[in-house]
Amino acid sequence: MTGTRRPTVIADPGDGPGASRSSTSASTSAWTEELAFAIEAAAAAGAILMDHYEQLERIDYKSSRDVVTEADHLSEALVIAAIRDRFPGDAILAEESGAHAAREARPVNGRVWVIDPLDGTVNYANGLPVFCVSIGFVVDGRPMAGAVRDPTRAETFAAAADGPATLNGRVIRASTKDKLSDGVISLSLAGRSIPSRARAIRKEIRIARSMGSASLALAYVGNGRFDAFVQESGMSAWDVAAAGLVAERAGATVSAFDGSAWYDPARRTRTVGTIAAPPAFHGRLLALANDR
């Protein structure tokens, strides 16, 4: 694989707020440097968001339902500048500014940083404290490391493809509930037969919720705050690159809405759908969600 290197052994950095499900443990990863960078950059970008939270001077409309703020742009600029400084041979895909080629004359082929500088912008612009920064690192079309930072709770969900999922450095695991009927699920459907499919799912779970930040909701599958995540469409690569990896490395089964691979860089913007759930429940949710 392009970008392969010899593994190094690292230890998770210790206790942190919200990470109480399991103890710290040593982990071996080939992507230690990239994971540490994603965690650091996401925290720095999150600090920018908090500096401007409920103090916005300008809100622009990207569409009738989607907005962008100066905080989006400032957060993204910080992350891009940090990547250019640390990994000048890597390409970048960012929500607000699009694709950026590598700056070096000989770019490291296949290495791409996938950035959402502010997921949950509508929440953020309205003063709702549910939003995050998402930074994923992809090699040859496969997510290898990523971090999702919730600056309002000072929480960072992170994972590498060859290591555990963590919350503030402590290892986390997806839900271990025995019954789907006990499930609290992040649910968002689109397309045909929404009422009937939503009813069918709600009949088999405890309750459905929608947070307005897909990356954060998907990351929540990693420590069981959500027992599952079902979203039919409306997402893009930057929404799932990091959070999908967190959920997967925490033990959830993660797929695209149709059951195919959950990360596909060829999918068009805002057409990505994802289902993430404990292995015992994924198949049932997949069937219910697609029963038209």
Side-chain angles (χ1 to χ4, degrees):
M1 176 183 294
T2 302
T4 300
R5 79 287 303 281
R6 296 168 66 182
T8 56
V9 178
I10 61 172
D12 293 309
D15 294 352
S20 59
R21 285 180 173 261
S22 49
S23 61
T24 58
S25 66
S27 60
T28 302
S29 175
W31 309 107
T32 300
E33 182 181 5
E34 290 83 356
L35 179 58
F37 172 82
I39 292 170
E40 293 167 6
I48 286 180
L49 299 184
M50 294 309 296
D51 286 344
H52 292 267
Y53 183 53
E54 295 191 307
Q55 300 181 59
L56 293 173
E57 296 181 359
R58 180 175 178 178
I59 300 173
D60 296 320
Y61 287 83
K62 294 195 290 186
S63 68
S64 61
R65 295 187 177 182
D66 201 5
V67 299
V68 62
T69 71
E70 70 262 28
D72 292 74
H73 295 299
L74 290 169
S75 172
E76 184 170 290
L78 180 147
V79 176
I80 290 174
I83 294 169
R84 291 303 195 203
D85 181 62
R86 182 82 68 87
F87 304 103
D90 293 359
I92 299 168
L93 177 63
E95 179 178 11
E96 303 306 335
S97 57
H100 300 252
R103 281 187 172 174
E104 286 188 345
R106 292 185 177 181
V108 182
N109 293 330
R111 291 172 54 103
V112 182
W113 292 89
V114 184
I115 306 163
D116 191 339
L118 173 50
D119 182 57
T121 303
V122 172
N123 286 351
Y124 181 84
N126 281 271
L128 297 173
V130 183
F131 52 86
C132 67
V133 178
S134 175
I135 301 176
F137 172 67
V138 177
V139 178
D140 294 334
R142 294 178 58 195
M144 290 296 161
V148 177
R149 174 70 173 182
D150 174 359
T152 70
R153 294 171 61 90
E155 291 186 340
T156 301
F157 294 82
D162 55 358
T166 63
L167 170 54
N168 289 356
R170 290 179 63 97
V171 175
I172 54 174
R173 296 294 297 173
S175 173
T176 57
K177 290 180 180 176
D178 294 328
K179 299 177 181 179
L180 182 57
S181 58
D182 287 335
V184 178
I185 294 178
S186 175
L187 178 64
S188 177
L189 300 178
R192 295 180 298 153
S193 309
I194 295 175
S196 62
R197 289 184 291 134
R199 280 195 301 271
I201 292 173
R202 288 190 173 102
K203 284 180 180 179
E204 298 202 23
I205 65 174
R206 173 170 291 175
I207 199 165
R209 290 285 185 257
S210 181
M211 292 175 57
S213 175
S215 294
L216 192 56
L218 181 53
Y220 276 6
V221 174
N223 72 336
R225 288 180 183 166
F226 277 128
D227 299 296
F229 175 93
V230 178
Q231 181 158 333
E232 186 161 2
S233 187
M235 296 188 295
S236 303
W238 43 77
D239 294 308
V240 300
L245 186 61
V246 168
E248 184 174 69
R249 297 307 300 170
T253 297
V254 186
S255 73
F257 195 81
D258 62 2
S260 61
W262 63 268
Y263 188 82
D264 181 356
R267 289 196 180 100
R268 291 182 293 111
T269 300
R270 301 189 67 81
T271 66
V272 174
T274 302
I275 296 178
F281 304 139
H282 183 274
R284 182 58 179 163
L285 288 170
L286 179 66
L288 290 169
N290 285 278
D291 186 9
R292 291 176 169 82

